[in-house]
Amino acid sequence: MEAFLVSTGVVALAEIGDKTQLLALVLAAKFRRPIPIILGILVATVVNHAVAGAAGAWISALVGPTAMRWILGLSFIAMAAWTLVPDKYDDDEKQDAAPRFGVFVTTLIAFFLLEMGDKTQIATVALAAKYSSLVAVVAGTTLGMMLANVPAVLLGEVAAKKLPMHIVHRIAAAIFLVLGVSVLLGFGSLG
């Protein structure tokens, strides 16, 4: 249960103001079809985070517990620093043409590709390496993504502008920092 709850909370906070959340806002404003956008986000996230989680589990099986502790601790601390750097959506990336493959497939492809190497994907790798329950981590990170992105799709840009982004980013960074320090100090299990 800890793996699920930590994964959900960390990713939900890290995702606020992230480039994929900005993409959700753009897609919602452009297509005005929330259901296929939400379903596209869900499918893209499950696939992306399942692959990331499997990579994390594989990495933890390859290295010893001492090396894994250092890798994870330093990774979480690096994630804390990275979380403090907000993402920006480049206006040149917007496309004005109608989606070639429909709203669902356009969202699925865009989210999957944009999530590659993103903070939340890297966090999923680290969380899967820390916790032995791959299903709980992937379910938690997916729920975290949905908690951050569904309101962005449903409420649009107005709601996102009212959130104090600097505070949200600091809270997420603090959680990553606490995770990193606790792993380095040997608190909690690596499995």
Side-chain angles (χ1 to χ4, degrees):
M1 187 60 130
E2 177 186 350
F4 175 77
L5 294 174
V6 169
S7 297
T8 300
V10 163
V11 169
L13 287 170
E15 182 63 16
I16 295 175
D18 190 68
K19 64 187 174 204
T20 47
Q21 188 182 48
L22 297 173
L23 176 62
L25 290 168
V26 169
L27 291 170
K30 181 173 181 162
F31 298 126
R32 300 181 193 277
R33 301 214 24 230
I35 299 302
I37 292 170
I38 291 168
L39 292 175
I41 292 168
L42 176 63
V43 172
T45 301
V46 168
V47 172
N48 193 293
H49 288 200
V51 170
W58 178 70
I59 290 167
S60 71
L62 286 179
V63 300
T66 301
M68 195 71 229
R69 189 177 88 229
W70 281 98
I71 291 168
L72 285 175
L74 295 174
S75 294
F76 282 127
I77 291 169
M79 288 299 301
W82 191 8
T83 301
L84 293 174
V85 179
D87 290 316
K88 301 265 189 269
Y89 182 79
D90 186 355
D91 287 334
D92 294 338
E93 294 176 17
K94 288 193 257 183
Q95 296 179 359
D96 291 328
R100 182 177 194 179
F101 301 108
V103 175
F104 170 77
V105 174
T106 298
T107 302
L108 187 145
I109 292 169
F111 258 80
F112 184 84
L113 293 175
L114 201 58
E115 186 65 12
M116 298 299 290
D118 193 48
K119 288 179 276 206
T120 51
Q121 186 191 44
I122 303 301
T124 301
V125 171
L127 289 162
K130 176 175 175 30
Y131 296 106
S132 61
S133 179
L134 177 61
V135 172
V137 168
V138 172
T141 60
T142 299
L143 178 59
M145 285 286 285
M146 299 311 289
L147 288 173
N149 287 306
V150 169
V153 171
L154 297 176
L155 302 175
E157 200 169 339
V158 174
K161 286 182 178 177
K162 293 187 181 213
L163 290 173
M165 298 307 248
H166 64 285
I167 292 174
V168 172
H169 285 273
R170 287 179 183 155
I171 291 169
I175 292 170
F176 279 124
L177 182 62
V178 167
L179 282 170
V181 170
S182 70
V183 168
L184 288 175
L185 294 176
F187 299 119
S189 66
L190 288 178

